[in-house]
Amino acid sequence: MAEKLKLDLSLILPEIPDERDACVGRLTKLLQAEGLEKVHLVREDGSARLCLHYEPQRFSVSRVRELAQAAGARLGDRYRHESLRIDGMDCGTCATVIEHALQRTDGVLEASVSYAAERLRLEFDSEKIKRPAIVKRIQALGYAVLEEGREAGWFAEHRELILSGVSGLLLLTGWLAGLADAPRALSLGLLLGAYAAGGFYTLRDAWQSLKTRRFDIDSLMIVAAAGAAALGAWEEGALLLFLFSLGHALEHLAMDRARKAIEALADLAPKTALVQRDGAEIEVRVEELLRGDRVVVKPGQRIPADGQIASGNSAVDQSPITGESMPVDKQPGDKVFAGTVNGEGMVIVEVTRLTRESTLSRMVEMVAEAQTQKSPTQRFTDRFERVFVPVVLVGAGLLIVLPPLFGFPFAESFYRAMAVLVAASPCALAIATPSAVLSGIARAARGGVLIKGGAHLENLGTLTAIAFDKTGTLTVGKPKLTDVVAIDGSEEALLKIAAAVESRSAHPLAQAVVAEAKRRSLAWSDAGEVESVTGKGLRAGVDGQKMAIGNARLFEGEAIPEAVQRQAERLLSEGKTIMLVQANGRFLGVLGLADTPREGVRGVLEHLHRIGIRKTIMLTGDNERVGRAIADAIGLDEVQAGLLPEDKVKAMEALGQRHGRVAMVGDCVNDAPAMARATVGIAMGGAGTDVALETADVALMADDLSKLPFAVALSRASRRIIRQNLYVSLGVVALLIPATLFGWAGIGLAVLVHEGSTLVVVLNALRLLAYR
C-alpha cells in the first residue's frame, strides 16, 4: 500500500511566484519519472504542499525527500524566475513593446509587463539565455532595469520633464531669435534642438511600436512634426513636440502618484524582525523568517509576518490590511497579519507564513496584477484606437493628395492634414480608463477592499441586486442564547441550572448557554455524572437533583405543560432553536438560541438600497422559518431557503435572468460555485481565508459587511469618472477634427487643447484617490 509524504512547495521550489507556475508541472513529471506513484499539490493552513505517494518497499522517507529536493534544485537552477523593476516606461505602449521583444527572444518562457506597477514578471531557461542578456535586451529598447531596493535617481525620474523644459526653452529662444532678425541658421539650429529634446522619447516609442507593426499616438505626432518641418513651419512643429512631451511628462508624474499609493502597501511591513532563537533575541531580515519562529513585537511596532499570538495580550490596529477603524483585541491563539500595528502590550508572534505568502504580500501582488486586467471600457478603447489611428493616417494622406487635384494649394492642404493628425490623436482616450482604474483599485485597497481587476471594478458599479449567504455573512455564524423563559422559578435560577449541565458539553449550543451565564456573572455548582443522548440533549445530577436539558424529543412520552409548549412554539416560530429544562420531573422553563445577525447589518442593507441596489436576497441552506426570521430582523427583500450548494448556482442563474447584474456575497467555501455564476463574487474576511483571496473577484479584507457599500459606491464613482473622461477625450477629438480640417485652428492650438484634455482626464481620475 502506498504511503504519502507532504513537503512545503516553497522549500522545494523557492523562486516560483505561485503554484500555477509551469515548474510545478515539470517537477511532477520529473518525480513520477523517478518511480513515485503520484505527485500532486494540496493546500493546508494557507500553504501549498507537495504530496508525494510512494511505495515503502522501493523508497524510504528520506530517499523521497532527497529526490524532491534534488529535482527542485535542478529545476531552480535551469528555470529562473525574476520580478524586475523597469524604469523609463512613459506609456502603456512601452509595456507592450518590452513584452513583444522579450517573448520573441529564444529562452524567454514568460514576459508580462505591468505599466502601472512598473514591473516585469519573467521566466527564462538559463541553459538558453542568461539574465544579463535579457537586461541588455531591455536596455537596447531604451529602458532601464533597477535593482531591488534602489529607486531611480531624481534625474532619471524627471528626465522627461527636464527634456521637455529644454525643448520649451530652445523653442522660445529660437522664436525670439527669428523675431530679432538673427541669422536663420541660428534660429533654425535652436528649433532643431527643440525638436530633438521634445521628440526624443516620442520618436523612441514610435520607432519601437512600428517595429512591432503597430501605429500608435506617438507615430501620429512624429508624422505631424515631420510634416510641419517639411512645410518650413519649424516653430509649430517644435511647439507640437514640446507640448506633447510636456503633457506626457506631467501625465507620467500624475500616474506615479497613483502608483505610489499602491507601493505604499508594500512598505507597510518592517524590513527586520526580532526573533527568539537558541535562547537569545536576534534581529533578522523578514525574508529570513521561518515557520514556527517566535517574533518579539514591542508596543507601537509593526508586526513583521502573518502568524498567531503565542503569548501576551494587546490591541492591534489592522486598518492597513482590513480597513477596520478600531484596533482589535488579540490574545494567545488569535491571528495577526504582517504590516498591522501592535498597540500598548508586548506580544510574541509565532510565524505561520513565509514573507512572500503573507496576506500583505499577496494583496500587493494581486493589486499590481489587477492593473493588467483590462476593464470592458479599456478593451473598447484599445480596439477603437487600433482601428482609429490607421484610419486617421489614411485620411491625412487623402487630405494631402486629393484637394490639390481640385486646385487647392498643396502647402495649405499638407498643413491642414498635419493639423488633423494632431487633432485626431486619441491621447486622452488612451489614458482615460487606465488612470481611473489604477486610482480606483488603489483607493479600494487602502480602504480594506481588494478588487482583482478593472472589469470587476466596473461591474461592481452596474449591480442591481445582491445575494447573500446567511451563516457567517449576514449572521455571526455562532449560536447565541437569546431567550431565557422561566416557567417555574426565576430566570437566574433557570440559567444557573442549565449552565451547570451544559458546562460539561463541548456542543456549540451548550457553549452558548455557558457564555451567557458567564456574561451575567452567574456561579453554578458542578454537575455529577452526565449522560449524553445523541441528537436530543443531556441528563445529569446537580446538587442532588436529576436534571435534563434538551429538545422536545428528549422528553417523548412525558406530559409537557401547556405553558411550556406555548413558549416553545413561540420561539420556534421566530426561527430559534429551543431547549427545555427539567428538574426532578418538573419543567422549569425554555431557552431559545439563534445565530444572530451581525451588528450593523440592517444599516448596511439600508445604505445599499440608498445607493441604488434594488433587491437584496438571502440564499441559505437553513429552513424557511429560520431564514425568514433573520431576513425580517435585518430588512432583506427576499429569502430562498433549504438550498444545497448546487441549488444556489441555479438560484443565481434565475436571479441573473430576473434582475440582470447580481453579486453573490459569501465565505467562498460552499459559496464558490454560486460566486462563479454571479456578475461579481464578493468574499468576506479576505485577510483570514486563503480561499477568499484566491477565488473571489472582490474580497472584503475585514470580516465586516460595512465595507460593501463603500466598494459599490467607489465603483460607481469610478464608472462616472471613466464616462466623464471618455466624453472629454472623444468630445475634444470631435471638435478639433472639423476645426483643423476647415482651417479654423492650426497645429499650435490643436496641440494645446489636445494636451490640456489629456491632463484633465488624468487629474479627474486622481480624484478617486481621495474618495470618501
Side-chain angles (χ1 to χ4, degrees):
M1 183 178 174
E3 293 191 4
K4 290 188 283 189
L5 172 66
K6 292 178 183 177
L7 300 173
D8 198 324
L9 182 65
S10 62
L11 297 177
I12 304 298
L13 292 171
E15 284 192 350
I16 66 166
D18 55 52
E19 60 264 33
R20 293 167 293 183
D21 191 85
C23 275
V24 176
R26 297 181 188 117
L27 179 66
T28 300
K29 288 178 183 176
L30 274 178
L31 292 174
Q32 287 178 337
E34 293 282 358
L36 297 187
E37 192 173 298
K38 184 182 177 184
V39 181
H40 63 105
L41 285 184
V42 294
R43 288 197 72 85
E44 291 181 356
D45 302 325
S47 302
R49 298 184 189 277
L50 197 65
C51 187
L52 306 143
H53 298 241
Y54 64 96
E55 295 177 16
Q57 295 85 359
R58 293 186 60 193
F59 301 99
S60 65
V61 173
S62 59
R63 178 60 182 153
V64 173
R65 186 178 282 109
E66 283 173 13
L67 285 172
Q69 289 171 340
R74 197 153 73 245
L75 288 171
D77 286 342
R78 178 173 179 180
Y79 299 101
R80 312 293 298 178
H81 298 76
E82 301 267 359
S83 176
L84 305 180
R85 174 80 181 273
I86 305 296
D87 182 47
M89 294 191 293
D90 52 30
C91 61
T93 304
C94 299
T96 308
V97 166
I98 297 169
E99 278 183 4
H100 284 185
L102 293 181
Q103 286 165 357
R104 293 197 305 271
T105 303
D106 187 37
V108 174
L109 304 173
E110 180 191 2
S112 176
V113 183
S114 167
Y115 165 58
E118 291 188 329
R119 283 274 169 190
L120 162 64
R121 180 169 165 169
L122 181 69
E123 182 187 359
F124 61 95
D125 184 342
S126 64
E127 290 185 2
K128 294 183 178 179
I129 192 169
K130 302 296 182 187
R131 185 182 189 274
I134 295 172
V135 172
K136 196 171 180 181
R137 181 79 181 97
I138 295 168
Q139 290 169 339
L141 296 171
Y143 308 99
V145 176
L146 294 179
E147 294 303 322
E148 285 304 322
R150 187 172 70 85
E151 292 295 320
W154 185 89
F155 177 79
E157 201 168 307
H158 296 87
R159 59 182 172 238
E160 196 176 5
L161 189 61
I162 292 167
L163 273 179
S164 178
V166 169
S167 174
L169 187 61
L170 290 172
L171 168 62
L172 179 62
T173 310
W175 178 67
L176 290 174
L179 288 180
D181 290 327
R184 182 59 181 164
L186 174 62
S187 62
L188 192 58
L190 291 168
L191 293 172
L192 277 170
Y195 257 72
F200 180 81
Y201 287 108
T202 308
L203 181 61
R204 180 199 69 176
D205 295 341
W207 175 242
Q208 296 295 353
S209 295
L210 289 172
K211 285 204 296 186
T212 60
R213 298 180 181 85
R214 286 169 58 95
F215 287 103
D216 62 6
I217 295 156
D218 297 290
S219 310
L220 294 185
M221 288 300 167
I222 290 297
V223 171
L231 286 173
W234 290 95
E235 288 85 354
E236 288 196 270
L239 178 66
L240 161 63
L241 291 176
F242 159 61
L243 289 175
F244 185 67
S245 64
L246 177 64
H248 246 309
L250 294 175
E251 170 199 314
H252 194 53
L253 289 177
M255 289 291 279
D256 269 345
R257 183 179 169 192
R259 189 180 292 119
K260 283 181 170 61
I262 291 171
E263 289 175 352
L265 282 173
D267 294 334
L268 289 173
K271 305 300 180 206
T272 61
L274 196 61
V275 186
Q276 294 178 337
R277 286 184 185 167
D278 302 322
E281 292 182 358
I282 60 170
E283 192 168 34
V284 302
R285 292 170 60 242
V286 291
E287 292 81 7
E288 296 170 11
L289 289 174
L290 304 173
R291 286 191 185 85
D293 273 344
R294 295 202 162 201
V295 177
V296 179
V297 186
K298 296 176 180 176
Q301 290 184 340
R302 288 192 182 273
I303 293 170
D306 280 15
Q308 61 183 26
I309 303 290
S311 65
N313 295 274
S314 189
V316 175
D317 176 6
Q318 298 191 150
S319 59
I321 303 294
T322 66
E324 291 167 286
S325 58
M326 298 296 292
V328 179
D329 290 329
K330 300 286 183 178
Q331 56 191 10
D334 288 345
K335 285 183 178 181
V336 290
F337 307 107
T340 56
V341 184
N342 185 26
E344 296 181 353
M346 190 178 86
V347 293
I348 307 294
V349 175
E350 183 178 325
V351 177
T352 57
R353 285 181 180 164
L354 303 179
T355 300
R356 65 183 185 151
E357 298 172 345
S358 72
T359 300
L360 176 62
S361 296
R362 294 167 73 198
M363 271 184 72
V364 172
E365 181 185 342
M366 287 176 176
V367 168
E369 285 181 357
Q371 324 303 317
T372 64
Q373 297 176 17
K374 294 182 178 179
S375 69
T377 307
Q378 179 64 49
R379 288 196 293 270
F380 161 74
T381 55
D382 285 352
R383 287 196 304 271
F384 178 81
E385 189 183 326
R386 278 199 298 271
V387 174
F388 184 67
V389 171
V391 167
V392 168
L393 284 170
V394 170
L398 293 174
L399 194 58
I400 293 170
V401 173
L402 294 178
L405 297 178
F406 298 96
F408 198 80
F410 174 78
E412 180 68 17
S413 177
F414 192 90
Y415 179 86
R416 288 193 185 181
M418 294 305 100
V420 167
L421 279 183
V422 175
S425 176
C427 255
L429 183 66
I431 200 66
T433 305
S435 56
V437 168
L438 178 68
S439 300
I441 288 174
R443 176 65 188 95
R446 207 168 70 227
V449 178
L450 179 61
I451 300 176
K452 293 163 63 176
H456 308 312
L457 177 68
E458 283 199 39
N459 286 339
L460 259 179
T462 66
L463 298 176
T464 54
I466 300 180
F468 298 85
D469 174 48
K470 180 182 78 72
T471 306
T473 302
L474 294 170
T475 64
V476 176
K478 293 189 294 187
K480 181 182 178 183
L481 183 63
T482 56
D483 298 84
V484 181
V485 183
I487 304 296
D488 186 346
S490 67
E491 279 190 16
E492 188 175 293
L494 175 63
L495 190 52
K496 277 184 182 181
I497 291 170
V501 178
E502 298 289 20
S503 62
R504 301 290 300 275
S505 171
H507 193 283
L509 293 176
Q511 292 304 304
V513 173
V514 174
E516 179 61 19
K518 285 180 178 177
R519 191 187 69 80
R520 298 190 186 190
S521 303
L522 301 180
W524 56 84
S525 304
D526 291 333
E529 188 176 341
V530 175
E531 177 195 356
S532 176
V533 184
T534 305
K536 297 181 180 180
L538 298 173
R539 291 193 177 96
V542 181
D543 293 335
Q545 298 187 81
K546 291 182 178 179
M547 308 299 304
I549 179 169
N551 56 38
R553 286 182 297 160
L554 184 65
F555 306 101
E556 282 174 343
E558 297 186 39
I560 300 174
E562 187 181 336
V564 174
Q565 288 186 28
R566 192 166 56 250
Q567 293 296 340
E569 286 168 7
R570 177 181 66 80
L571 294 173
L572 286 170
S573 70
E574 294 173 4
K576 294 174 181 175
T577 301
I578 62 158
M579 289 183 178
L580 308 182
V581 183
Q582 186 190 67
N584 290 334
R586 192 176 80 255
F587 285 91
L588 304 181
V590 187
L591 304 180
L593 300 98
D595 182 7
T596 54
R598 284 177 178 270
E599 187 178 348
V601 69
R602 174 179 277 275
V604 168
L605 296 174
E606 288 173 353
H607 194 170
L608 287 171
H609 281 118
R610 283 200 303 275
I611 61 176
I613 301 299
R614 294 198 290 271
K615 280 283 183 182
T616 52
I617 308 104
M618 177 196 290
L619 303 180
T620 179
D622 266 343
N623 62 59
E624 175 79 24
R625 187 163 53 186
V626 171
R628 176 50 60 191
I630 295 290
D632 291 343
I634 62 177
L636 270 173
D637 299 321
E638 184 181 327
V639 176
Q640 296 188 28
L643 302 178
L644 295 171
E646 56 268 29
D647 298 327
K648 289 185 180 181
V649 174
K650 294 175 184 173
M652 286 306 301
E653 290 173 349
L655 288 171
Q657 290 171 0
R658 261 168 46 209
H659 301 296
R661 294 185 169 268
V662 186
M664 173 70 191
V665 186
D667 60 11
C668 244
V669 180
N670 296 324
D671 303 315
M675 286 183 180
R677 292 300 176 98
T679 307
V680 183
I682 304 171
M684 294 279 291
T689 57
D690 295 282
V691 184
L693 277 180
E694 294 297 335
T695 60
D697 303 320
V698 176
L700 309 181
M701 299 305 290
D703 194 22
D704 178 10
L705 263 182
S706 67
K707 295 294 176 185
L708 184 56
F710 161 74
V712 173
L714 173 64
S715 171
R716 297 202 164 168
S718 301
R719 280 174 55 80
R720 277 197 305 274
I721 281 178
I722 288 170
R723 283 199 303 272
Q724 290 166 6
N725 284 354
L726 291 179
Y727 295 152
V728 168
S729 52
L730 290 172
V732 165
V733 170
L735 288 172
L736 280 180
I737 287 178
T740 50
L741 188 61
F742 295 112
W744 303 329
I747 289 176
L749 179 60
V751 75
L752 195 65
V753 175
H754 173 274
E755 291 307 313
S757 68
T758 301
L759 287 177
V760 165
V761 299
V762 172
L763 294 173
N764 191 39
L766 289 181
R767 291 193 299 128
L768 286 169
L769 290 175
Y771 178 79
R772 292 185 183 279

